[in-house]
């Protein structure tokens, strides 16, 4: 028996044959495939990071603050900026929002428990769910309450209505519900009516609203933080990877009822947030306005992509995120490779006739749009 076969036989049965998360990490001139913030951390913030890390470095022989009190207070102040009062005991943080989601599934999922999400959505939701032994149910977008497809239209096949979401949730009585807003990969934001209706329709479930891209939402888009009061089963997850340009820093967080955040202490590993991680995150929060100063520039490039792809005969989905999901391609993998051959890396998420591109700097956006213009019309769906 080969070593691979030996390990396969020892692996949990529910993990056999599974595929890990993976986005290509290639050395290309223009990398627009993982929704990173293309702007580097400003020198002033680098200086503060250096100062904070230097300060704590002599104490690395000690464990970090297990309760990350200063960081929770800083995150609570940040979340309260828009008028919704968030207190530090409502905040939880971990090494990226994926670990935050893992804590939630460890606490509220598990064997003989069910989680539902509405796909296409963030591909890690089912992976984390299954890794915790929780049963995953693929909910559908683009259908009505009876399961019939929505009328054709740009992005309509990815909409999630109140009636459809409620019907699907009621049918499976889940323990965990994932709602992604703005949704990845489509970029579309959910109406808060959907969140409220799902919460009411799933009385035995923790409702997770994944708002990793919330800072990029178009004007007038409401976030789910406003719904937390009086809803102890509602969770809003966020990340510093995108708007804060901190993908390499690995800091995700959530806001929820204090009783729910307290429950996560049962599953977190001891001292799970290192001193360095806390120091880097605090340094970025010290410069919140500066760190968020690129958001408008990224929105501008996102909207430019939508406009220019439409002019090329493609069908981009209007986006509230820092990326654009676009259709109208004859063959998505062929176009993906053709763009890569031109030095532009975008994301093929496996949905026929569609690709996803991150909104980068003006120069990166220009490179992508010029590459797309050179490919059409022969790559257009007919």
């Amino acid at each position: 028996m080969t070593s691979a076969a030996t390990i396969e036989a020892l692996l949990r049965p529910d993990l056999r044959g599974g595929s890990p998360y993976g986005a290509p990490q290639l050395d290309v001139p223009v990398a627009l495939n993982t929704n990173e913030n293309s702007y580097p951390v400003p020198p002033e913030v680098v200086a503060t990071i250096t100062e904070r890390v230097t300060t704590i470095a002599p104490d690395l022989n000690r464990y970090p603050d297990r309760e990350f009190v200063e960081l929770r207070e800083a995150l609570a102040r940040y979340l309260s900026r828009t008028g919704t009062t968030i207190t530090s005991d409502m905040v939880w943080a971990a090494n990226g929002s994926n670990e935050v989601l893992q804590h939630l599934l460890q606490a509220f999922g598990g064997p003989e428990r069910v989680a539902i999400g509405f796909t296409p959505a963030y591909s890690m939701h089912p992976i984390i769910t299954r890794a915790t032994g929780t049963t995953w149910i693929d909910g559908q977008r683009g259908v009505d309450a009876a399961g019939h497809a929505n009328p054709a239209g740009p992005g309509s096949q990815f909409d999630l209505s109140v009636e459809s979401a409620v019907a699907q949730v009621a049918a499976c009585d889940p323990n965990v519900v994932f709602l992604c807003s703005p949704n990845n990969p489509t970029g579309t934001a959910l109406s808060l009516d959907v969140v409220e209706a799902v919460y009411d329709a799933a009385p035995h479930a923790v409702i997770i609203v994944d708002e990793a891209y919330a800072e990029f939402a178009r004007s007038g888009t409401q976030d789910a933080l406003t719904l937390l009061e009086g809803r102890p089963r509602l969770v809003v997850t966020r990340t510093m990877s995108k708007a804060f340009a901190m993908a390499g820093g690995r800091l995700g967080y959530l806001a929820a009822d204090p009783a729910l955040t307290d429950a996560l202490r049962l599953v977190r590993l001891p001292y799970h947030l290192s001193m360095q991680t806390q120091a880097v995150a605090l340094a970025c929060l010290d410069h919140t306005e500066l760190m968020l100063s690129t958001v408008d520039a990224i929105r501008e490039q996102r909207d430019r992509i939508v406009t220019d792809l439409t002019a090329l005969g493609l069908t981009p989905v209007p986006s509230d995120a820092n990326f654009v999901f676009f259709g109208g391609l004859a063959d998505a993998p062929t176009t993906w490779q053709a763009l890569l051959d031109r030095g532009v890396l975008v994301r093929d998420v496996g949905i026929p006739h569609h690709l996803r591109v991150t909104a980068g700097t003006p120069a990166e956006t220009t490179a992508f749009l010029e590459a797309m213009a050179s490919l059409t019309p022969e790559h257009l769906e007919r």
Side-chain angles (χ1 to χ4, degrees), residues 329-339 348 350-355 379:
L329 299 169
D331 183 74
T334 298
T335 303
W336 180 88
Q337 184 62 55
L339 289 169
D348 182 354
I351 298 174
H353 311 295
H354 289 77
L355 293 172
H379 285 252

Side-chain angles (χ1 to χ4, degrees), residues 305-324:
I305 291 171
V306 171
T307 298
D308 287 14
L309 289 182
T310 301
L312 290 174
L314 295 156
T315 54
V317 179
S319 176
D320 284 286
N322 70 336
F323 57 84
V324 176

Side-chain angles (χ1 to χ4, degrees), residues 176-192:
V176 177
V177 179
F178 285 98
L179 298 172
C180 199
S181 182
N183 186 48
N184 179 11
T186 63
T188 48
L190 280 178
S191 162
L192 292 189

Side-chain angles (χ1 to χ4, degrees), residues 53-377:
V53 172
T54 299
T55 298
I56 58 100
D59 297 321
L60 288 175
N61 60 311
R62 303 296 184 184
Y63 287 115
D65 175 9
R66 184 176 58 239
E67 297 302 319
F68 47 99
V69 173
E70 186 181 2
L71 179 56
R72 284 193 289 115
E73 291 173 346
L75 288 168
R77 286 193 298 272
Y78 170 68
L79 290 176
S80 299
R81 290 164 72 246
T82 56
T84 301
T85 300
I86 304 295
T87 55
S88 62
D89 59 353
M90 298 171 66
V91 174
W92 187 254
N95 296 284
S97 60
N98 288 322
E99 187 177 51
V100 170
L101 296 173
Q102 184 181 60
H103 285 169
L104 289 166
L105 267 296
Q106 287 174 317
F108 301 106
E112 300 182 6
R113 294 198 166 197
V114 170
I116 184 173
F118 300 92
T119 55
Y122 182 37
S123 62
M124 280 303 298
H125 291 164
I127 292 174
I128 294 171
T129 296
R130 292 177 180 127
T132 60
T134 312
T135 298
W136 171 261
I137 293 179
D138 253 331
Q140 297 183 67
R141 290 174 174 269
V143 296
D144 61 21
H148 301 132
N150 288 338
S156 64
Q157 68 269 45
F158 308 115
D159 288 343
L160 182 62
S161 69
V162 168
E163 295 77 16
S164 174
V166 166
Q168 294 182 69
V169 164
C172 66
D173 189 23
N175 303 99
V176 177
V177 179
F178 285 98
L179 298 172
C180 199
S181 182
N183 186 48
N184 179 11
T186 63
T188 48
L190 280 178
S191 162
L192 292 189
D193 291 345
V194 175
V195 179
E196 292 177 290
V198 167
Y199 186 93
D200 293 339
H204 307 120
V206 168
I207 312 301
I208 302 170
V209 185
D210 186 335
E211 291 190 341
Y213 301 94
E215 287 90 347
F216 300 100
R218 288 170 290 181
S219 178
T221 303
Q222 293 181 295
D223 63 56
L225 293 174
T226 60
L227 300 180
L228 285 174
E229 187 174 357
R231 293 183 175 88
R233 297 180 288 107
L234 182 63
V235 181
V236 180
T237 64
R238 297 283 185 93
T239 182
M240 293 184 73
S241 294
K242 311 302 180 181
F244 274 87
M246 199 181 148
R250 310 310 301 130
L251 198 289
Y253 58 102
L254 64 74
D257 187 274
L260 190 147
T261 62
D262 186 51
L264 299 181
R265 290 178 170 85
L266 297 171
V267 297
R268 61 101 177 265
L269 294 175
Y271 313 104
H272 71 289
L273 278 180
S274 73
M275 286 186 184
Q276 305 95 296
T277 298
Q278 294 182 46
V280 172
L282 284 164
C284 291
L285 289 163
D286 285 344
H287 296 277
T288 292
E289 297 306 323
L290 179 58
M291 292 300 290
L292 296 181
S293 62
T294 61
V295 168
D296 284 343
I298 292 169
R299 284 190 190 122
E300 183 178 341
Q301 296 309 307
R302 173 197 69 196
D303 296 342
R304 175 188 171 198
I305 291 171
V306 171
T307 298
D308 287 14
L309 289 182
T310 301
L312 290 174
L314 295 156
T315 54
V317 179
S319 176
D320 284 286
N322 70 336
F323 57 84
V324 176
F325 184 67
F326 62 98
L329 299 169
D331 183 74
T334 298
T335 303
W336 180 88
Q337 184 62 55
L339 289 169
L340 183 60
D341 293 342
R342 289 160 173 77
V344 179
L345 178 61
V346 300
R347 187 71 180 271
D348 182 354
V349 295
I351 298 174
H353 311 295
H354 289 77
L355 293 172
R356 190 194 71 194
V357 59
T358 306
T361 63
E364 289 173 333
T365 300
T366 296
F368 163 71
L369 290 171
E370 288 180 347
M372 284 301 303
S374 73
L375 295 175
T376 51

